[in-house]
Amino acid sequence: MSTPELKQFGELDPEDFQRQAVWIGCHTADYDEPWYEDTDEETFRPYTGKLPADPSEGMLLVRAVIELNDGSQYLGFVTPGVGLGTQQPQIFVDDRRFGFWGGMAGVSEQAQQELYSALRKRPDAILPLRFRADSGLTTDEIEGQVEGFYKKSRDGIHVSFTPWRNLTDVPSAGAQWFQMSSRSHRGYPQPEKGFEYLKIVYEEPCLRCGIFERQKAPFRFKKASGSPAGFTQLTWVYDAFFAPPNVVEEIMSAGISGLSPGPAVFHPSGKECSDRVQLLIPTAISCVETSLLQTVTCQPANEEARAIRALFVKQPSSPRKSFSPELEEHFRKQRERLAAIPYCGRVKHHPPTSIALIPDHLKGAPDLFRSEEWFGSGGCAFRLIFALERFSNLVQERRWRGLEFHVAAQSGFSERQSS
Ligand SMILES: [Zn+2]
């Protein structure tokens, strides 16, 4: 069997479900297949078995009808199973996709508002909504009701929705800025083992917190993309975007400022990739309001280490397991190795779920720029990328895939809705 069409979860769009009613997760279903190496937990392919599909065959995504409270119907998809946490119904509105199950983090107020504005409906016209998988697709009947946006916590599942507020009423200093992110992440920067790429790609990377001085060399890829034309990102690297060379040329000839194409190369050959270039975004501006965001300082016993310790103190301690002398020796060496990694003292913030910018700092900003502030937790660190609406309009107009734009407020505070 030749390699099927592989799609990352975030890339699945309405057309995919129009032509193919059932998709199956490759990571569990294709373990013995030659393309398994190209997949991860997020990769799906068209389901080719006999219908109705049996949910025990793997992780299925099944085309569904979403009927809003006002009776209007939309295309969507669900996963067979019991409970909303498994079914996780998704609705397509134009080219965009929205979900209602937010897991521990919940669904941000901004995402809720964006659903309302995409539908051009108030919450009471939308919720409660019903969903129903197309009949004959799976052996289980799947239907249910969504009352709002769901969030899981230690004491159970909470349902709520925020009242409608007109985003265009927010006073703005003229232009509208968007935070730009990728719909999906595919592949790992090479060499991925031991995060070795950090030292190759960046000047003065910190192996503890992930912050670096600047990019000094191209990202290295494992293989040709073979993916549809559009924007992509690598896993772990949230502030570098890649696109086919002709797309970047079109962006530049449309007069968009603040970017230039940079090479991407294959590993280990070092040969330049012809199917993609990096969008280099050289302008960095200190522009994100961060006063309410949790800081993470790169130092021993930092904010995150203290939070984890506090969590453990509350739990009764269990007697420590003992291991073989060889294993104990191995752990001791590991601890020594980790303890030897230096701290850089730099500060990042937990990433906000709704972003506020400082408009005074943005005068004369190009169409694309990144924040000078760092975000992330643990060993992960990245800058936020912003685009003026001129760029998001161009992306929509040309129907380029792979990017998401979230409105960044120009007053108030950046906030993180935590679990
Ligand atoms: Zn550091």
Side-chain angles (χ1 to χ4, degrees):
M1 188 167 159
S2 60
T3 304
E5 178 187 5
L6 300 177
K7 282 240 168 183
Q8 295 299 94
F9 183 76
E11 294 167 0
L12 287 162
D13 62 24
E15 284 161 33
D16 294 323
F17 281 92
Q18 268 148 10
R19 69 193 152 79
Q20 178 66 42
V22 184
W23 293 73
I24 187 164
C26 299
H27 217 58
T28 49
D30 293 347
Y31 194 77
D32 296 325
E33 303 292 353
W35 61 83
Y36 184 75
E37 201 198 318
D38 297 341
T39 70
D40 58 30
E41 294 82 358
E42 302 253 300
T43 315
F44 287 80
R45 66 163 165 82
Y47 174 83
T48 48
K50 248 176 95 176
L51 292 176
D54 183 343
S56 69
E57 290 176 65
M59 167 88 173
L60 300 177
L61 305 176
V62 180
R63 184 167 66 205
V65 173
I66 313 284
E67 186 176 319
L68 307 186
N69 194 31
D70 68 3
S72 52
Q73 296 194 337
Y74 288 80
L75 175 69
F77 64 90
V78 293
T79 292
V82 179
L84 272 179
T86 305
Q87 295 162 339
Q88 298 199 17
Q90 307 259 317
I91 182 173
F92 289 115
V93 185
D94 302 323
D95 270 355
R96 299 192 58 188
R97 198 171 95 193
F98 299 89
F100 304 89
W101 179 264
M104 299 287 281
V107 176
S108 73
E109 192 183 320
Q110 183 168 344
Q112 300 181 27
Q113 295 292 336
E114 284 176 10
L115 172 63
Y116 306 159
S117 19
L119 285 165
R120 287 175 289 276
K121 291 177 197 288
R122 287 167 189 264
D124 57 355
I126 302 169
L127 298 162
L129 61 81
R130 309 262 324 152
F131 61 89
R132 189 177 61 250
D134 288 9
S135 60
L137 295 181
T138 60
T139 50
D140 296 352
E141 288 276 304
I142 319 152
E143 54 181 327
Q145 184 155 316
V146 170
E147 309 279 346
F149 297 92
Y150 293 73
K151 178 176 168 178
K152 202 174 155 182
S153 71
R154 282 181 202 93
D155 56 341
I157 292 165
H158 302 269
V159 195
S160 64
F161 58 85
T162 61
W164 184 77
R165 105 188 120 77
N166 194 342
L167 279 176
T168 55
D169 285 349
V170 176
S172 84
Q176 185 73 73
W177 278 284
F178 295 90
Q179 186 233 333
M180 179 169 117
S181 57
S182 176
R183 279 177 193 251
S184 67
H185 295 85
R186 190 172 216 163
Y188 294 88
Q190 299 297 308
E192 62 191 80
K193 195 167 168 261
F195 302 101
E196 222 175 294
Y197 77 94
L198 289 171
K199 295 181 212 156
I200 294 176
V201 177
Y202 301 130
E203 190 87 52
E204 288 179 49
C206 174
L207 300 184
R208 284 223 179 247
C209 69
I211 295 179
F212 54 86
E213 259 333 290
R214 62 180 186 87
Q215 185 179 342
K216 66 172 179 187
F219 280 95
R220 305 175 78 85
F221 285 77
K222 210 184 220 166
K223 54 182 59 167
S225 66
S227 67
F231 295 83
T232 53
Q233 266 189 332
L234 284 161
T235 307
W236 301 334
V237 187
Y238 301 107
D239 49 12
F241 292 85
F242 301 88
N246 64 307
V247 168
V248 179
E249 253 166 56
E250 276 188 61
I251 297 170
M252 296 182 68
S253 60
I256 299 292
S257 59
L259 90 160
S260 61
V265 302
F266 288 116
H267 184 73
S269 73
K271 206 171 153 262
E272 210 170 294
C273 307
S274 60
D275 57 352
R276 84 203 85 180
V277 290
Q278 186 181 346
L279 279 76
L280 298 176
I281 300 170
T283 310
I285 302 176
S286 167
C287 60
V288 182
E289 196 292 320
T290 55
S291 58
L292 296 182
L293 298 174
Q294 161 87 59
T295 56
V296 185
T297 312
C298 188
Q299 63 184 28
N302 71 355
E303 300 88 331
E304 288 186 321
R306 287 200 300 270
I308 290 171
R309 210 169 303 150
L311 204 66
F312 274 110
V313 168
K314 286 187 202 143
Q315 317 221 334
S317 63
S318 53
R320 188 177 173 277
K321 271 199 209 115
S322 60
F323 299 100
S324 71
E326 292 80 16
L327 212 50
E328 287 287 357
E329 176 62 11
H330 170 75
F331 288 146
R332 195 187 59 76
K333 279 195 177 144
Q334 285 272 29
R335 279 197 300 274
E336 256 181 31
R337 197 177 54 78
L338 287 174
I341 301 176
Y343 295 88
C344 72
R346 288 179 282 199
V347 177
K348 60 191 176 192
H349 294 86
H350 279 175
T353 47
S354 60
I355 297 170
L357 293 172
I358 307 164
D360 283 354
H361 296 190
L362 294 172
K363 295 196 176 94
D367 295 320
L368 284 166
F369 58 93
R370 57 192 156 83
S371 67
E372 223 162 67
E373 296 82 4
W374 286 88
F375 299 89
S377 66
C380 166
F382 56 93
R383 286 77 49 89
L384 295 173
I385 307 292
F386 295 97
L388 260 169
E389 57 190 337
R390 246 153 60 84
F391 180 63
S392 68
N393 288 345
L394 181 73
V395 170
Q396 267 185 353
E397 189 188 296
R398 305 282 162 97
R399 300 182 69 84
W400 287 323
R401 304 276 176 85
L403 291 181
E404 273 182 2
F405 295 94
H406 295 277
V407 176
Q410 296 183 44
S411 59
F413 301 96
S414 300
E415 287 182 80
R416 178 171 183 82
Q417 284 189 347
S418 60
S419 50

